[in-house]
């Protein structure tokens, strides 16, 4: 296979190390996680074996967050997120340094009369039981490079990777290795010179511990261990039963019936004949547009055996069943007979969707048996309109299928990154999405599992009698509803409104998000005649109420994506209860000048900078000349006299 070598960037003169807080480090870790894990995997000694090397790379990367505010790596320039991306981010420099330091520690031999470092021990988390994981195999070039890297020392491998993967000049490589605790960086660079500079191969799937293959372990040995574990468990159970016999056992249950008594409601919940099946056309005359108006659809709604299995697994999932639930969603049995939404064959499996008034439960099993069955839960209490317009029916190979509401007229897939205002005709990023008579969509690429650089973000566009809804898959049963506008007066979002911010949705995947609203709260003329920047606030509200996440983003001219200026969790800012926000960013103009830019919502009467930068302005905008790496706080005052702090 062909590879392209990448020339390193020239060294830069470092300034004083910036202060990095936990939030900044976490943002860098989440955004660049695949790259950091790849770096750790390449530096770790191959003698660990590929399975342990994969798990150790993930463990080391996940342990890099600081416990508080700390000094960052002085070898990078602290700046706003710009075209340089991670190279100007002190948070990324900090977590990269921690990953490198611990990966080098993991490769050092254990010493007598000395406690081992945590990185030298097998990782406690993450753990995978019953499988061995390793990256996908590459070609002959990748195998040859892996063998040559295996022959290098850990510092030399680190030097080679910093040159090729991170594109650092030799001077910067020496500084990073020295900061990581390496005593002789020059010797490491000299040893790395002995390997041909085929840096383009480092981006191959051969070295990607985030794209994995699974194989079974030693099955005979596992069977022997399982027999021993079962014998020990049986002995413990017998002893426990003997200890619990006298008196009231482990404790009285009050007015509860005996354990062997059958509760009528619980029994009814397991009876497929008691399921609620809504007639096909009820939704047309119903005043409600929620899941209670969905008819039962699919070609297996009459398969009592399938429905009985689905209800039984819901009530008592076995050990072989994979169970997942969105945060804040109870995973227990239904309180009574549920409503059947769908039962049918989808791709290579059978799927049953059930609704109990609070949750959607999805049961799936292979068509050739029940081994590998899965049970997923999502909270949907109070869902209506757009929130009850679609449910994920199946996922496979990075694609997703939806079951749409009966009132949905048309469906389409829209790539939000191709939907910016001014997009040429014919490149709008919209593709019509076919549906079956039951409302099952064709599969399309989901953004929920994409890794690496964000080059597209597909959204589901649904049209009904009320208008067009924009939804996006965040890895859960129900897609998140995308809206725009001032909090409290938000409306259905256009794709163009979300185009510069779509990639930031990756930060709220798997968080039980109900809806995400984007609000352009200010526009600011930039100093040095650099154009006008937009200030936008995105707020992700969850089904459970807690866990709300707010991002303030700065979108300068010429940047395809917004840069995160501040973020917070469980705050009122940018919400209907408190439709106010204040945020700031260090920005470098085209002429080389550095400025503190700050903006508040329109009802902000004044803005002041505190700390390392002094300045104030009337109105909701502030621009103060400053120096690179300066630290400052923000204070504002609203038109009604109340104070407001900068979002952090």
């Amino acid at each position: 296979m062909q590879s392209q070598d990448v020339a390193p960037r020239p060294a830069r003169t470092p300034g004083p190390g910036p202060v990095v807080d936990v939030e900044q480090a976490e943002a860098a870790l989440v955004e660049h996680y695949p790259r950091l894990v790849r770096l750790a995997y390449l530096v770790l000694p191959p003698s660990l074996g590929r399975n342990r090397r994969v798990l150790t790379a993930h463990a080391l990367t996940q342990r890099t967050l600081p416990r508080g505010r700390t000094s960052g790596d002085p070898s990078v320039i602290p700046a706003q997120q710009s075209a340089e991306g991670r190279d100007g981010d002190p948070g990324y420099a900090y977590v990269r340094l921690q990953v490198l330091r611990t990966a080098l520690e993991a490769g050092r031999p254990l010493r007598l009369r000395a406690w081992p470092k945590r990185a030298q021990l097998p990782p406690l988390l993450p753990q995978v039981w019953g499988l061995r994981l390793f990256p996908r195999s590459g070609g002959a070039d990748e195998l040859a490079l892996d063998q040559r890297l295996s022959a290098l020392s850990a510092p030399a491998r680190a030097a080679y990777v910093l040159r090729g993967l991170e594109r650092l000049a030799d001077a910067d490589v020496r500084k990073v290795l020295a900061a990581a605790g390496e005593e002789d960086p020059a010797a490491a660079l000299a040893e790395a010179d002995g390997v041909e500079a085929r840096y383009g191969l480092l981006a191959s799937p051969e070295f990607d511990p985030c794209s994995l293959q699974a194989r079974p372990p030693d099955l005979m040995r596992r069977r022997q261990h399982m027999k021993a574990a079962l014998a020990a468990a049986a002995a413990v159970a017998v002893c426990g039963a003997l200890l619990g016999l006298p008196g009231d056992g482990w404790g009285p249950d009050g007015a509860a019936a005996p354990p062997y008594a059958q509760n009528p409601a619980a029994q009814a919940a397991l009876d497929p004949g008691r399921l609620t099946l809504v007639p096909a056309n009820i939704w047309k005359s119903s005043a409600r547009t929620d899941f209670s108006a969905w008819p039962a659809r699919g070609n297996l709604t009459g398969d009592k055996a399938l429905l009985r299995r689905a209800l039984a697994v819901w009530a008592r999932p076995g050990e072989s069943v994979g169970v997942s639930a969105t945060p804040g969603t109870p995973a227990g049995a239904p309180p009574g007979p549920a409503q059947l939404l769908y039962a049918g064959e989808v791709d290579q499996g059978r799927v049953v969707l059930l609704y109990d008034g609070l949750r959607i439960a999805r049961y799936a099993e292979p068509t050739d048996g029940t081994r590998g069955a899965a049970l997923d839960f999502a909270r949907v209490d109070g869902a209506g309109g757009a929130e009850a317009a679609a449910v994920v029916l199946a996922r496979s190979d990075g694609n997703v299928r939806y079951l749409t509401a009966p009132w949905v007229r048309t469906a389409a897939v829209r790539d939000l990154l191709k939907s910016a205002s001014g997009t040429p005709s014919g490149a709008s990023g919209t593709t019509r999405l076919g549906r079956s008579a039951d409302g099952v969509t064709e599969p399309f690429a989901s953004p929920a599992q994409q890794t690496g650089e964000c080059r597209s973000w597909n959204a589901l566009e649904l049209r009904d009698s009320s208008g067009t809804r924009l939804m996006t898959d965040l890895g859960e049963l129900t897609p998140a509803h995308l809206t725009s506008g001032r909090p409290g007066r938000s409306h259905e979002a256009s794709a163009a409104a979300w185009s510069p911010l779509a990639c930031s949705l990756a930060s709220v995947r798997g968080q039980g998000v109900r809806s995400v609203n984007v609000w352009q709260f200010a526009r600011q003329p930039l100093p040095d005649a650099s154009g006008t920047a937009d200030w936008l606030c995105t707020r992700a509200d969850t089904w459970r109420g807690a866990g709300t996440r707010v991002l303030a983003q700065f979108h300068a001219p010429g940047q395809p994506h917004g840069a995160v200026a501040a973020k917070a969790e469980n705050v009122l800012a940018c919400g209907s209860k408190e439709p106010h926000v204040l945020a700031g960013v260090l920005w470098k103009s085209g002429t080389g000048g550095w400025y503190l830019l700050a903006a508040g919502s329109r009802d902000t009467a004044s803005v002041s900078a505190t700390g390392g930068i002094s300045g104030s302005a009337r109105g909701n905008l502030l621009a103060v000349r400053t120096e690179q790496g300066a630290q400052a706080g923000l204070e504002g005052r609203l038109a009604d006299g109340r104070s407001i702090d900068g979002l952090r």
Side-chain angles (χ1 to χ4, degrees):
M1 60 179 288
Q2 299 298 322
S3 64
Q4 294 182 354
D5 297 342
V6 181
R9 288 182 295 275
R12 295 175 296 192
T13 303
V19 174
V20 178
D21 56 23
V22 178
E23 290 80 10
Q24 192 175 7
E26 181 188 19
L29 177 63
V30 171
E31 183 179 359
H32 303 292
Y33 184 84
R35 173 175 288 272
L36 293 166
V37 178
R38 187 188 291 261
L39 188 150
Y41 180 83
L42 286 165
V43 175
L44 284 169
S47 60
L48 293 177
R50 291 195 292 175
N51 181 70
R52 180 175 168 186
R53 198 171 161 199
V54 165
L55 297 178
T56 302
H58 283 274
L60 298 182
T61 305
Q62 293 172 15
R63 293 203 300 259
T64 55
L65 291 183
R67 298 184 182 276
R69 295 169 67 84
T70 185
S71 176
D73 183 357
S75 67
V76 300
I77 301 175
Q80 83 281 6
Q81 298 282 350
S82 65
E84 293 187 29
R86 64 182 185 275
D87 304 325
D89 184 1
Y92 175 78
Y94 173 83
V95 294
R96 179 182 66 188
L97 179 61
Q98 300 307 309
V99 167
L100 186 64
R101 177 181 290 130
T102 53
L104 289 172
E105 289 175 353
R108 296 187 180 113
L110 296 174
R111 297 180 180 177
L112 295 175
R113 301 180 182 179
W115 288 102
K117 299 277 190 177
R118 184 179 180 185
Q120 295 174 291
L121 301 175
L124 295 177
L125 290 174
Q127 283 288 351
V128 177
W129 297 92
L131 288 174
R132 298 187 64 79
L133 303 177
F134 49 91
R136 298 181 180 276
S137 299
D141 293 340
E142 287 86 351
L143 179 61
L145 178 61
D146 189 34
Q147 292 173 344
R148 295 188 185 99
L149 292 179
S150 301
L152 297 178
S153 65
R157 279 196 305 274
Y160 188 92
V161 173
L162 289 174
R163 277 175 171 173
L165 189 64
E166 292 298 290
R167 299 171 56 199
L168 295 184
D170 284 1
D172 289 331
V173 172
R174 291 190 192 94
K175 294 172 185 175
V176 174
L177 287 177
E182 180 55 36
E183 296 179 357
D184 193 355
L189 281 167
E191 185 180 354
D193 288 337
V195 177
E196 182 182 1
R198 306 198 67 182
Y199 299 138
L201 295 177
L202 297 179
S204 165
E206 173 80 15
F207 308 112
D208 184 7
C210 290
S211 179
L212 303 172
Q213 297 184 94
R215 291 294 183 271
D218 188 333
L219 298 180
M220 292 299 296
R221 180 179 297 178
R222 186 174 72 178
R223 181 177 295 176
Q224 295 170 356
H225 291 172
M226 287 295 295
K227 289 180 179 178
L230 288 174
V236 172
V238 170
C239 294
L242 293 174
L243 290 173
L245 282 177
D248 292 322
W250 294 110
D253 291 331
Y260 52 81
Q262 294 183 343
N263 180 273
Q267 290 298 109
L270 298 177
D271 184 0
R274 301 288 296 274
L275 285 171
T276 300
L277 277 69
V278 175
N281 294 320
I282 286 295
W283 64 272
K284 295 181 180 180
S285 58
S286 175
R288 304 181 63 167
T289 54
D290 56 18
F291 290 110
S292 67
W294 279 38
R297 290 174 285 177
N299 61 344
L300 297 178
T301 55
D303 189 338
K304 299 298 183 184
L306 171 64
L307 300 179
R308 188 181 302 278
R309 290 195 300 272
L311 292 170
V313 170
W314 187 352
R316 304 181 310 278
E319 293 182 356
S320 64
V321 178
V323 181
S324 69
T326 57
T329 304
Q339 176 184 342
L340 177 62
L341 302 182
Y342 182 86
E345 294 181 351
V346 182
D347 296 330
Q348 302 301 314
R350 292 183 286 263
V351 177
V352 178
L353 287 180
L354 299 163
Y355 171 61
D356 69 353
L358 171 68
R359 301 165 294 173
I360 293 286
R362 175 186 174 273
Y363 170 78
E365 65 180 26
T367 54
D368 57 356
T370 60
R371 188 171 184 83
L375 182 65
D376 305 310
F377 294 96
R379 185 170 172 174
V380 292
D381 50 313
E387 296 163 348
V391 174
V392 170
L393 200 57
R395 300 181 190 277
S396 62
D397 301 326
N399 296 325
V400 62
R401 283 185 190 268
Y402 286 97
L403 176 66
T404 57
W407 50 82
V408 170
R409 295 177 177 175
T410 62
V413 179
R414 182 180 285 273
D415 186 349
L416 297 181
L417 298 191
K418 295 181 181 178
S419 302
S421 58
T423 301
S425 59
S428 63
T430 303
T431 305
R432 185 176 179 84
L433 188 61
R435 295 185 300 155
S436 69
D438 285 333
V440 178
T441 69
E442 296 174 341
F444 65 93
S446 167
Q449 298 176 341
Q450 70 180 14
T451 58
E453 185 178 355
C454 179
R455 296 184 177 179
S456 67
W457 193 280
N458 285 340
L460 178 66
E461 190 174 81
L462 302 177
R463 183 179 297 275
D464 57 28
S465 59
S466 300
T468 301
R469 326 275 193 182
L470 204 60
M471 326 286 289
T472 190
D473 182 16
L474 295 180
E476 296 161 340
L477 278 182
T478 54
H481 183 202
L482 301 181
T483 61
S484 64
R486 181 179 176 84
R489 299 198 297 269
S490 60
H491 49 78
E492 296 297 334
S494 67
W498 270 101
S499 181
L501 309 175
C503 291
S504 67
L505 290 167
S507 64
V508 292
R509 286 187 289 211
Q511 301 300 314
V513 173
R514 180 173 189 166
S515 63
V516 190
N517 184 65
V518 59
W519 172 35
Q520 181 181 302
F521 64 88
R523 300 199 73 206
Q524 184 171 25
L526 297 175
D528 300 337
S530 300
T532 302
D534 293 328
W535 287 91
L536 304 111
C537 184
T538 58
R539 180 183 177 92
D541 289 310
T542 65
W543 288 98
R544 66 190 183 277
T548 297
R549 296 195 177 189
V550 176
L551 296 179
Q553 302 195 46
F554 175 78
H555 190 199
Q559 291 184 343
H561 309 306
V564 176
K567 70 174 185 176
E569 188 170 345
N570 292 323
V571 297
L572 295 176
C574 284
S576 57
K577 294 183 178 179
E578 191 70 22
H580 313 293
V581 64
L582 175 63
V585 69
L586 276 180
W587 175 79
K588 183 180 180 181
S589 72
T591 60
W594 285 89
Y595 293 86
L596 169 65
L597 303 179
S601 45
R602 294 180 182 177
D603 51 358
T604 304
S606 63
V607 180
S608 300
T610 61
I613 302 175
S614 178
S616 62
R618 289 186 172 276
N620 65 329
L621 303 175
L622 174 68
V624 179
R625 187 69 181 258
T626 185
E627 297 179 352
Q628 175 186 352
Q631 302 286 326
L634 292 175
E635 294 179 354
R637 189 161 297 278
L638 301 176
D640 59 7
R642 290 184 295 158
S643 62
I644 180 174
D645 294 327
L647 192 68
R648 298 184 63 84

